[in-house]
Amino acid sequence: MSEFTGNHILTVNQFNRDAIEKVFDVAHTMQPYARRQKRTTVLDGAILGNLFFEPSTRTRVSFGTAFNLLGGEVRETTGMSSSALAKGESLYDTARVLSGYSDIIAMRHPAAGSVAEFAEGSRVPVINGGDGANEHPTQALLDLFTIKREVEYQGKGIDGLHIAMIGDLRYGRTVHSLSRLLCLYKNVRFTLVSPKELAMPQPIIEAIENAGHQLTVTEQLEGNLDVDICYQTRIQEERFPSQEEANRYRGKFRLNQSIYTRHFQSRTVIMHPLPRDSRAEANELDNDLNLNPNLAIFRQTDNGVLVRMALFALTLGVENLVTKYERDVIWHSNKSSD
Ligand code: NCD
């Protein structure tokens, strides 16, 4: 049992450095199961309600995969129009009902604050899988887990990190949550690159300043940046008042190998929460970066499974029982060599 047991995960504000370390420690222990070297049935019989009322591929599937890897079962509801919310049901009622069918719920919804509102009606823990432009706490944890691994490989830690965040910092919930988590560390330098209209919201700027971090705000990539992490984002077209407005910014922040070489160091790690918009008019992370060893985007997605497994194990209070319910994998698995 830990401070996580039985509790919702709604915002990164719930976490301090010790709690983050605990999640990361448990995430490390999940590696043999994610790599199919072993399997565990510690959540045998448990049901995850996976409710996604907004488009999602990796967050939805990695929540489900993480739960399956712990031996649990997944019930999915996707799309607003196929749920009773389209008939005018309140989030409270939906939560009251669906929490009767699940042991834990992961939820994504287009409105800021909606997952917290839903959690008030839920009788089981609720994990926020993204609420509008507000927060995406599990993505921030997997991003930070990735940052930690990548910089540790270079002999550094998160304290003293220099990160550039690029693109749509206004509507991008992943950079909101990640910035808040980084406020728990020491001497972090932020370089925020976006058009004025898509700037990081003021409360987050204030949190960065109050944490005593160095902050540079600029409208375009300029000069040679001495950054450890380049965190690229997608223009969040679905959150703009109109498509025309979103189109205005599409393609403004392309990153390819030659732009990378011009502005970054050979050690700079490239991250993106994905999906990357690969349409020619956007091409925000060119395929010519695929061979760059510093492109960490697929390490991020793999790490997402470990972190979500850890959050499920901690929330359901089984983090110390995982090995007790361990078994051998009897099929051939290519993943074991990952
Ligand atoms: C992000 C999201 O949904 O906020 N994707 C994700 O969860 N990995 C970022 C995005 O959609 O651009």
Side-chain angles (χ1 to χ4, degrees):
M1 297 279 269
S2 70
E3 75 215 74
F4 293 92
T5 315
N7 290 325
H8 306 304
I9 298 173
L10 300 174
T11 160
V12 289
N13 296 335
Q14 289 172 241
F15 291 84
N16 57 27
R17 281 179 73 148
D18 286 346
I20 292 169
E21 277 315 306
K22 179 80 196 160
V23 174
F24 290 179
D25 286 348
V26 177
H28 277 291
T29 68
M30 296 300 175
Q31 214 148 261
Y33 312 105
R35 288 189 178 163
R36 313 312 257 153
Q37 290 153 346
K38 292 272 175 199
R39 57 186 293 243
T40 179
T41 55
V42 71
L43 288 186
D44 184 24
I47 296 174
L48 165 69
N50 215 17
L51 312 183
F52 276 72
F53 300 117
E54 241 192 359
S56 174
T57 303
R58 73 223 80 233
T59 305
R60 177 175 56 83
V61 179
S62 74
F63 268 124
T65 300
F67 209 74
N68 288 151
L69 285 169
L70 290 167
E73 300 197 20
V74 182
R75 297 262 178 286
E76 273 197 1
T77 302
T78 53
M80 202 75 89
S81 56
S82 54
S83 89
L85 290 172
K87 298 182 183 173
E89 185 169 59
S90 67
L91 284 169
Y92 181 92
D93 283 5
T94 307
R96 191 78 181 69
V97 173
L98 292 181
S99 58
Y101 305 155
S102 325
D103 297 283
I104 186 163
I105 290 174
M107 178 176 169
R108 168 174 289 188
H109 190 283
S114 54
V115 182
E117 188 184 334
F118 179 93
E120 280 172 27
S122 174
R123 291 169 284 171
V124 300
V126 175
I127 302 184
N128 184 356
D131 61 321
N134 186 34
E135 277 233 36
H136 196 344
T138 65
Q139 179 72 39
L141 287 165
L142 80 86
D143 285 341
L144 194 66
F145 183 81
T146 306
I147 290 172
K148 184 168 186 250
R149 279 196 165 182
E150 299 285 325
V151 297
E152 267 176 5
Y153 190 69
Q154 301 179 10
K156 299 187 198 157
I158 302 173
D159 292 321
L161 185 85
H162 186 181
I163 184 168
M165 294 179 171
I166 304 170
D168 184 354
L169 309 184
R170 176 180 183 180
Y171 296 116
R173 55 192 169 199
T174 72
V175 284
H176 300 166
S177 293
L178 178 59
S179 298
R180 287 194 186 279
L181 278 189
L182 287 171
C183 286
L184 297 170
Y185 293 80
K186 292 196 193 99
N187 301 324
V188 178
R189 283 171 66 196
F190 286 79
T191 298
L192 304 181
V193 187
S194 74
K196 268 199 196 70
E197 298 80 9
L198 301 186
M200 186 69 90
Q202 199 51 34
I204 298 170
I205 297 280
E206 280 162 25
I208 293 171
E209 286 172 345
N210 291 341
H213 293 332
Q214 265 188 60
L215 174 66
T216 306
V217 177
T218 160
E219 289 200 53
Q220 53 203 0
L221 274 176
E222 273 168 339
N224 192 270
L225 294 174
D226 185 23
V227 298
D228 302 295
I229 306 287
C230 157
Y231 192 105
Q232 174 73 310
T233 61
R234 181 180 64 87
I235 300 297
Q236 307 282 293
E237 56 186 335
E238 64 276 32
R239 311 214 188 283
F240 281 71
S242 71
Q243 197 59 44
E244 294 76 62
E245 212 173 314
N247 288 344
R248 220 177 292 156
Y249 303 103
R250 209 185 297 283
K252 270 229 154 87
F253 292 97
R254 294 165 192 270
L255 189 63
N256 56 29
Q257 186 58 47
S258 85
I259 298 172
Y260 173 84
T261 310
R262 200 173 332 137
H263 295 293
F264 297 104
Q265 311 300 312
S266 57
R267 69 166 202 285
T268 302
V269 174
I270 306 162
M271 294 176 63
H272 189 302
L274 299 184
R276 53 175 156 173
D277 188 342
S278 294
R279 288 171 287 194
E281 63 274 25
N283 204 15
E284 56 201 22
L285 215 52
D286 196 289
N287 284 335
D288 74 355
L289 289 163
N290 286 359
L291 293 176
N292 185 322
N294 289 326
L295 186 76
I297 55 177
F298 300 118
R299 297 195 282 276
Q300 281 173 272
T301 53
D302 283 352
N303 290 338
V305 172
L306 302 179
V307 168
R308 292 186 171 114
M309 288 176 81
L311 293 172
F312 284 135
L314 285 161
T315 306
L316 293 174
V318 296
E319 72 276 14
N320 296 323
L321 296 171
V322 177
T323 48
K324 184 173 170 195
Y325 292 92
E326 183 176 281
R327 301 197 198 158
D328 286 334
V329 168
I330 54 171
W331 62 89
H332 170 78
S333 173
N334 284 335
K335 290 189 72 56
S336 50
S337 56
D338 271 4

